[in-house]
Amino acid sequence: MPDADVGAAAPLTAAQVDTETQRAVEAFLYRQAEILDDGRWDDWLGLFMPDGRYWMPARADQMQGDGVPNIFWEDLDLMRVRIRRNTHPHAWSQSPPNRLSHVVSNVVIERVAANGDLTVRSKFHCSEYLRYEVRHFAGKYRHELVKDGDRAGAYRIRLQRVDLLNAEGPFDYVIQWWL
Amino acid sequence: MRNGDRDISRLVEPDRVHRLCYTDPDIFEQEMERIHESLWVYVGHKSQVKEPGDYYTAQIGRQPMIMVRGKDGEVRVFYNRCPHRGAMLCSDRSGNAGHRFRCSYHAWMYNFDGTVASIPATNGYDGTRMKLAEGDAGLKPAARVDNYRGFYFASLSPDGPDLETFLGGATLTFDQLVDRAPDGDVEVVGDCFRMIQKSNWKIFLENQLDVSHPSATHESTGVAAGQVEREMEKRDGRKAPLAYSFISAFKTPIEDWVKFDTVGHPYGHCFLAGYMGLRPQDPDTVEYETLLKQAHGEEKGEAILSTDLHHVLVYPSLSVQPPLQQLRAIRPLGVDRTLTEIWHFRLKGAPEAIYRRALDYYYLVNSPSTMVNADDLHNFWKCHQGLSTEGGDWVSLHRNYGSDSERDGVLYSAPGTMSEMPLRHMMQAWAGYMGAGDESVGNGSGGG
């Protein structure tokens, strides 16, 4: 394992990332996908740092989320609004409730900081069951993960960037949950 | 029931409308021809095409069009079709075409004024019926193009009132948007969001002026945002950001929506008064208002800031929200499919915080992850589903029918009601355009 930052873009080689870290990161991403698909919303909020964000840019080439249009740009407070709104009995668009199924793969660790924080990119595919039909989303994740205390393999999200393949749209109906 | 003047007049009554107006494919074709491909339809803002060669495509009715800025600075609108063999000319939604348009099929080139720039081996046309010198092969322009304060419209019909006459009182919405900028100009930010509604375009138009829907449709969002807003205020010991009030406003009880008056202008345009309290006295707003009054003078500045508007519906293609610096253009794709382009604007010379406020609204209400339009679009879809059945023929527009008033051709909802006047008004205008009644007044919606 490298002992210093190695730059953001070039992925680390297998030799530079120990198997345990790779496995721990994959387990974290799988767990996040499962929490989302199962709708365990307290667990979802617990995945993020108190100042963590979920970000889906509106354009593939977008470099920042703050102060520009985004598909998602949510801190924990806005996530709480979304959870309460979507689970409210009068959230009409949740009648019937939609359902998500994620597959996460191609997990590449880009950067390991001296303190154990990580930058990880991966690919996802998500099928959504919406009003008795299925539609599909695909794209890539980029997680900035913070080492969560001393527990081995425990992380929290400082920033999750989600690049949707069709970020520029048009969108056939809205995206109700994070993807 | 088939289309035709006589039948249309039987489908629209002063206080109710037949379901076929929304669901009949033949009527849809007819309204594309008589409304979207005849009236002034919004194409785009001048800031979308800043430089010569900049172009943006936009659909007018069933016709794919290109808006392009020429080397002379003029903005023109053409059919997106190469006159040679009919290939689409621009397949990107937007871009810069360089010095001229080039068709990808046979390299015919067009200047930005639509004239032919060059055709490979032109002598092949010598002695044929095509007279290049007489402009036979040029791009077909929209019959009429005009702008009001930088907002470009096109009409695919040579007939009808000029743009300013057509807009009439609705010019206020563009004056409001532009005059709210201390530097007297606005520009689009980024590309628009594009959302598809699985419903007829008129269902969306009606919703924009439907005061009795927000507290019912958006209850879940209003309640959730209100709860989190209160928790944040308790936790942080200060007011939650203004953005939360944009959506917690939806928990306003239905009885309180009677405060928001509606107005119907000639040609089908409609106004809904504001309700979001966008003049808080925080330092950013105070700074902005000071700047604006420096630019316009105290009296005019105050008049601009105190103008009470939420939605302005510019029939048939546009819904504008000036204080929130955004607009939605309506592009019908089919009888049961409608694309909306949602644009937002930066007020030149205004503090960044004022833009951020508009951005928050744009995000919460109109982004593809919206927690507000999620339920609107769901209800529009359900409306279209229900109207496609034989469970009933008529759509009720009776609320407060008979109590609205008229002055100088402008209709006013009875104060203190949630009158469906704007919905009746739009459908009367629609019937007029479709060949039944007086289209310019769009009257008969219960005045007097």
Side-chain angles (χ1 to χ4, degrees):
Chain A
M1 184 182 303
D3 57 4
D5 290 4
V6 293
L12 301 178
T13 63
Q16 289 171 290
V17 179
D18 63 70
T19 314
E20 266 176 52
T21 305
Q22 178 74 27
R23 285 184 56 187
V25 162
E26 289 174 2
F28 179 88
L29 297 180
Y30 299 162
R31 183 163 161 261
Q32 184 187 23
E34 201 167 76
I35 286 170
L36 189 49
D37 292 348
D38 292 349
R40 286 153 42 203
W41 304 119
D42 287 340
D43 290 344
W44 170 266
L45 294 172
L47 291 169
F48 289 81
M49 298 282 290
D51 61 349
R53 270 187 190 271
Y54 180 96
W55 175 29
M56 188 184 287
R59 302 173 58 99
D61 60 359
Q62 204 172 308
M63 295 304 289
Q64 64 176 58
D66 185 41
V68 297
N70 296 293
I71 299 172
F72 279 94
W73 179 250
E74 295 194 353
D75 58 12
L76 287 180
D77 287 326
L78 269 181
M79 289 186 203
R80 287 189 188 100
V81 175
R82 184 174 296 277
I83 290 167
R84 289 192 205 183
R85 173 231 111 67
N86 282 354
T87 55
H88 190 281
H90 290 173
W92 311 116
S93 65
Q94 283 290 317
S95 171
N98 68 334
R99 208 182 281 155
L100 303 177
S101 174
H102 280 79
V103 174
V104 181
S105 184
N106 305 21
V107 179
V108 175
I109 297 175
E110 281 185 7
R111 171 183 165 275
V112 182
N115 64 0
D117 293 355
L118 302 172
T119 303
V120 184
R121 68 172 187 247
S122 57
K123 297 274 190 180
F124 73 93
H125 185 102
C126 176
S127 303
E128 180 188 28
Y129 187 49
L130 172 71
R131 293 196 295 233
Y132 308 116
E133 289 176 7
V134 175
R135 62 175 180 166
H136 301 278
F137 298 95
K140 60 185 176 191
Y141 291 149
R142 196 159 188 274
H143 285 77
E144 285 180 23
L145 298 178
V146 175
K147 196 90 178 64
D148 190 16
D150 292 331
R151 285 183 299 131
Y155 298 98
R156 290 173 93 178
I157 300 168
R158 174 179 290 134
L159 178 68
Q160 179 178 3
R161 174 174 173 147
V162 182
D163 281 284
L164 204 59
L165 193 61
N166 55 327
E168 289 86 357
F171 289 90
D172 220 331
Y173 193 61
V174 311
I175 305 170
Q176 299 183 68
W177 290 112
W178 308 283
L179 290 177
Chain B
M1 197 177 299
R2 293 297 87 182
N3 53 3
D5 295 354
R6 206 165 56 120
D7 287 332
I8 292 291
S9 70
R10 287 171 54 194
L11 296 178
V12 180
E13 296 182 3
D15 55 358
R16 63 177 192 172
V17 179
H18 198 279
R19 67 180 184 87
L20 288 177
C21 298
Y22 304 87
T23 57
D24 184 294
D26 291 335
I27 288 178
F28 177 78
E29 295 300 319
Q30 190 178 336
E31 62 187 6
M32 288 305 99
E33 185 187 323
R34 296 192 180 186
I35 296 176
H36 287 265
E37 296 172 11
S38 293
L39 305 185
W40 288 102
V41 163
Y42 182 67
V43 185
H45 187 255
K46 64 175 183 178
S47 60
Q48 289 170 243
V49 288
K50 283 183 181 165
E51 304 297 329
D54 282 355
Y55 69 88
Y56 238 101
T57 60
Q59 188 90 2
I60 299 183
R62 298 158 297 188
Q63 312 304 321
M65 310 298 289
I66 316 168
M67 171 174 74
V68 62
R69 189 177 292 276
K71 292 178 177 174
D72 56 0
E74 271 303 292
V75 174
R76 296 180 179 83
V77 178
F78 299 101
Y79 288 77
N80 188 4
R81 175 191 189 278
C82 176
H84 175 211
R85 297 278 285 277
M88 177 194 280
L89 198 56
C90 299
S91 48
D92 284 352
R93 274 186 70 229
S94 62
N96 185 284
H99 291 293
R100 52 191 70 86
F101 287 124
R102 176 197 157 119
C103 180
S104 57
Y105 198 0
H106 302 95
W108 286 35
M109 310 268 250
Y110 301 93
N111 299 310
F112 301 135
D113 63 2
T115 57
V116 174
S118 67
I119 293 172
T122 321
N123 56 8
Y125 294 96
D126 293 348
T128 72
R129 207 151 69 123
M130 194 167 74
K131 301 285 179 259
L132 293 172
E134 290 165 27
D136 262 10
L139 299 177
K140 182 179 176 182
R144 295 181 294 164
V145 179
D146 200 356
N147 82 93
Y148 184 80
R149 302 199 72 176
F151 296 84
Y152 277 85
F153 289 75
S155 161
L156 302 186
S157 163
D159 305 318
D162 61 43
L163 177 62
E164 213 164 320
T165 305
F166 174 74
L167 293 175
T171 52
L172 174 65
T173 191
F174 304 107
D175 292 336
Q176 267 284 301
L177 193 46
V178 177
D179 290 343
R180 282 174 175 271
D183 291 355
D185 201 8
V186 298
E187 63 180 349
V188 294
V189 180
D191 200 354
C192 58
F193 287 135
R194 290 181 297 158
M195 305 288 289
I196 294 170
Q197 311 176 349
K198 291 178 178 167
S199 45
N200 185 263
W201 61 280
K202 296 189 293 301
I203 294 173
F204 172 75
L205 255 56
E206 291 169 0
N207 171 265
Q208 300 294 285
L209 274 298
D210 182 346
V211 191
S212 65
H213 92 277
S215 62
T217 297
H218 304 302
E219 177 193 346
S220 62
T221 308
V223 168
Q227 286 173 356
V228 173
E229 198 176 25
R230 280 196 303 279
E231 287 166 12
M232 289 169 73
E233 290 177 351
K234 203 171 159 194
R235 180 191 69 199
D236 303 335
R238 55 183 146 83
K239 258 189 94 56
L242 189 67
Y244 284 82
S245 72
F246 292 160
I247 47 177
S248 65
F250 290 118
K251 70 182 188 316
T252 306
I254 195 161
E255 300 78 28
D256 288 354
W257 292 86
V258 300
K259 286 184 285 199
F260 308 111
D261 296 336
T262 50
V263 179
H265 284 268
Y267 298 106
H269 314 313
C270 298
F271 289 9
L272 165 62
Y275 59 86
M276 282 189 163
L278 293 171
R279 293 186 73 184
Q281 288 306 297
D282 59 285
D284 296 320
T285 310
V286 169
E287 181 197 349
Y288 163 64
E289 296 198 349
T290 305
L291 281 169
L292 198 73
K293 287 175 180 175
Q294 280 166 5
H296 290 290
E298 173 70 30
E299 201 176 323
K300 190 181 172 201
E302 180 57 33
I304 292 164
L305 287 165
S306 59
T307 298
D308 194 21
L309 284 176
H310 184 66
H311 280 298
V312 175
L313 199 293
V314 183
Y315 202 84
S317 67
L318 201 54
S319 168
V320 192
Q321 292 174 273
L324 294 156
Q325 299 163 225
Q326 68 160 35
L327 62 77
R328 282 181 269 188
I330 295 107
R331 317 289 186 197
L333 303 176
V335 68
D336 60 354
R337 274 175 81 78
T338 305
L339 177 80
T340 52
E341 288 179 7
I342 309 139
W343 294 92
H344 79 302
F345 294 84
R346 191 182 282 277
L347 306 177
K348 290 189 179 176
E352 174 70 12
I354 300 301
Y355 169 65
R356 295 283 182 124
R357 181 186 299 178
L359 179 64
D360 285 341
Y361 185 84
Y362 187 61
Y363 174 72
L364 290 169
V365 177
N366 282 308
S367 74
S369 71
T370 170
M371 291 180 263
V372 177
N373 286 337
D375 288 325
D376 284 321
L377 268 54
H378 183 72
N379 282 340
F380 300 169
W381 167 73
K382 287 171 74 177
C383 280
H384 200 100
Q385 294 300 305
L387 293 174
S388 303
T389 72
E390 293 179 358
D393 280 340
W394 295 96
V395 176
S396 164
L397 304 177
H398 298 90
R399 187 184 279 277
N400 299 103
Y401 175 71
S403 68
D404 309 315
S405 58
E406 183 189 342
R407 287 196 304 278
D408 304 325
V410 178
L411 292 166
Y412 298 86
S413 59
T417 69
M418 293 182 287
S419 175
E420 284 168 340
M421 177 277 285
L423 285 57
R424 295 188 286 270
H425 177 61
M426 281 191 278
M427 282 313 293
Q428 289 298 319
W430 181 87
Y433 292 128
M434 295 290 277
D438 180 355
E439 67 193 45
S440 73
V441 176
N443 210 331
S445 49

